[in-house]
Structure formats: C-alpha cells, structure tokens
C-alpha cells in the first residue's frame, strides 16, 4: 500500500511537470501570435473569460492527480504481469511496433468518440463535461481541464487497452507524448499545420486546432480525438470544415 502511494506521488510529480512545461511552452507561442491580433492563423477573436486560465490550471492539477492514480495502477498491473507491456522491441517482430500503435490509436479513437457523444447528453453534460466547455475559446491550459468524472472516464481506457493489446514500452511512451502534444495543439486556438497538409487527403484525416476550435464553438460537432473519420461517418463534422 505504501509502495502504491509512492507510485501515485511519483506519477503526480511527472504529470505536473509535463503539464506545466508543455502548456507553458505552447502558451508562450499562443500569447505571441494572439498579441498580433491580425494573424490569419488565429481561430477565435473572443476574449478569454475572467480567471479562465486560473480555472483551467486548477482543474488540470486535479486531472493530473487522477491520471497519476491510473499511472500507478498501470505500473502495479505491469509489475504483477497483468499487462501486455513488453521491453524488448523485437519480441513480436519489428513489424508489430507500427501495427500495435495503429491498433491503439483506433481503439482509443472509437472509445473517445462515443464517450464524447454520451457526455453531450444534457443530463450527463452538466455533471461530467461542462467544466471542459466553460472554455468557450480554448488555450493550451484547457488541454487537461476536465471535471474529475470526465478525467476518470478518459483515463480508464488505457489500462483496459494494455490488458488486451501487447505494447512495447517505447511505443507506449511515444504514444503518451503524442497524446500530450495532440491535446495541446488541438486546444491552441491557432492553426499551426501548413495549409497544403490540411488540404491533402492524409491531412483531412487528422484533427487539428481548427477542427477542435469548432467543437468548443458549436458544441454539437467535431467530437473526435485524433481522426475525423467517426465525425464524417456519423455526420457530426462541422459544416465550416
Ligand atoms: Zn465536448
Ligand atoms: Zn476541448
């Protein structure tokens, strides 16, 4: 039990450092571009609400504590050999490394899209998801600004995936870093991907700051996490895309 608490504290420290370094870095860029006011990349000219950033940081610190609990749980499951996490990249063959990350991306995407749709059911929305939408125009600090119920629902899926899908430890680390950057980029409220990429077939598959900006603006469109395919299939993509 003492060990488990130690894991939680260690993960909490790591997650706080992750949040403040990455959001701080993106926020410096955010302020630089937003101060220009006329930059074409700026998605929303709406001023932030009073104390918005303070509130986002408050909820994100609580989210980090919850993510830390799930991190410790995952580590405990790994130590007791319940997970599919493995150390030697050659164990399942190198071909398996890209295949496994695509599988994790697709499972996570599907879980998130339908969870997100459920979180917009009015009764659930008020309790679980409203905190995130209090940020009408998002900032990098919004990336982990969730009510604890939402954080728990979002965090649940990774331990479940890792009980089922074998994943190399380095692929898992890459995935966690990718997840962090994707959340920051999508909440930046400034479009940073080059226009030719966004117009390309490949680019149109990916969610970017513009896509998620419309979710915060329109509420009932653009529910996806990394990919646009569920929104396209279900007809929930914003018409402004
Ligand atoms: Zn939402
Ligand atoms: Zn958001």
């Amino acid at each position: 039990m003492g060990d488990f608490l130690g894991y939680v504290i260690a993960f909490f420290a790591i997650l706080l450092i992750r949040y403040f370094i990455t959001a701080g870095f993106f926020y410096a860029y955010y302020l630089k571009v937003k101060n220009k006011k006329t930059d074409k990349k700026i998605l929303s000219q709406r001023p932030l609400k009073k104390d918005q950033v303070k509130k986002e940081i408050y909820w994100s610190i609580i989210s980090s504590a919850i993510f830390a609990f799930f991190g410790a749980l995952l580590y405990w499951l790994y130590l007791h050999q319940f997970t599919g996490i493995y150390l030697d990249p050659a164990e399942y063959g190198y071909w398996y490394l890209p295949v496994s990350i695509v599988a994790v991306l697709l499972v996570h995407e599907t879980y998130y899209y339908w969870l997100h749709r459920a979180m917009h059911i009015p009764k659930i929305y008020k309790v679980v998801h409203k905190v995130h939408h209090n940020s009408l125009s998002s900032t990098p600090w919004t990336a982990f600004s969730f009510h604890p119920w939402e954080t728990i629902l979002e965090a649940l899926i990774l331990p479940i995936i890792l009980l089922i899908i074998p994943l190399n430890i380095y692929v898992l680390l890459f995935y966690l870093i990718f997840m962090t950057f994707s959340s920051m980029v999508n909440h930046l409220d400034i479009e940073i991907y080059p226009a030719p990429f966004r117009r390309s077939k490949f680019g149109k598959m990916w969610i970017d700051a513009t896509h998620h900006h419309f979710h915060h603006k329109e509420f009932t469109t653009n529910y996806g996490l990394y990919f646009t395919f569920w929104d396209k299939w279900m007809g929930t993509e914003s018409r402004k895309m």
Side-chain angles (χ1 to χ4, degrees):
M1 193 62 205
D3 278 357
F4 190 80
L5 195 65
Y7 303 154
V8 175
I9 292 168
F11 274 107
F12 187 40
I14 294 167
L15 289 166
L16 284 182
I17 293 168
R18 155 185 93 150
Y19 177 63
F20 282 101
I21 289 183
T22 49
F25 168 79
F26 279 102
Y27 192 57
Y29 175 76
Y30 172 96
L31 289 177
K32 202 175 130 208
V33 177
K34 287 257 173 170
N35 283 340
K36 281 191 242 158
K37 291 204 166 58
T38 50
D39 198 310
K40 281 205 303 277
K41 297 188 294 265
I42 296 174
L43 296 167
S44 163
Q45 294 292 350
R46 184 200 287 261
L48 296 185
K49 288 181 180 171
K50 191 174 171 283
D51 292 335
Q52 180 177 327
V53 167
K54 249 195 231 164
K55 285 177 187 160
E56 290 172 342
I57 292 174
Y58 166 81
W59 289 113
S60 299
I61 291 173
I62 296 173
S63 293
S64 298
I66 295 168
F67 286 138
F69 170 81
F70 280 92
L73 176 70
L74 195 57
Y75 188 56
W76 186 91
L77 290 170
Y78 166 71
L79 288 180
H80 293 81
Q81 291 167 354
F82 287 115
T83 70
I85 299 171
Y86 62 97
L87 302 182
D88 178 7
E91 192 172 329
Y92 290 85
Y94 288 103
W95 65 270
Y96 181 70
L97 302 176
V99 170
S100 62
I101 198 159
V102 171
V104 172
L105 280 165
L106 294 180
V107 173
H108 196 177
E109 181 67 41
T110 302
Y111 173 79
Y112 182 82
Y113 177 84
W114 290 103
L115 169 68
H116 198 177
R117 289 285 302 266
M119 288 194 301
H120 275 265
I121 296 168
K123 274 190 183 155
I124 301 173
Y125 176 84
K126 269 187 234 147
V127 182
V128 177
H129 193 44
K130 189 174 181 307
V131 164
H132 187 66
H133 278 282
N134 281 340
S135 307
L136 293 175
S137 52
S138 59
T139 78
W141 303 106
T142 319
F144 301 113
S145 173
F146 308 121
H147 186 278
W149 281 123
E150 174 164 358
T151 311
I152 291 168
L153 290 166
E154 285 187 13
L156 261 179
I157 187 65
L158 203 57
I160 294 172
I161 288 176
L162 292 169
L163 288 176
I164 300 161
I165 302 177
L167 203 66
N168 177 255
I169 186 80
Y170 301 111
V171 175
L172 174 60
L173 284 175
F174 173 79
Y175 185 66
L176 292 171
I177 294 168
F178 169 76
M179 206 157 91
T180 306
F181 273 85
S182 158
S183 192
M184 294 291 166
V185 166
N186 294 348
H187 287 98
L188 191 55
D189 211 27
I190 296 162
E191 186 50 68
I192 55 168
Y193 294 155
F197 169 74
R198 296 191 65 246
R199 277 195 302 266
S200 71
K201 261 200 168 155
F202 184 69
K204 280 193 176 135
M205 285 165 48
W206 290 90
I207 285 173
D208 51 21
T210 307
H211 195 272
H212 200 62
H213 155 77
F214 282 115
H215 180 67
H216 280 261
K217 194 175 176 200
E218 298 174 347
F219 290 83
T220 51
T221 57
N222 296 4
Y223 292 97
L225 180 62
Y226 306 121
F227 299 108
T228 53
F229 65 86
W230 274 116
D231 278 308
K232 289 189 195 298
W233 287 346
M234 293 296 128
T236 53
E237 194 166 57
S238 171
R239 285 174 197 199
K240 306 219 173 76
M241 289 308 297

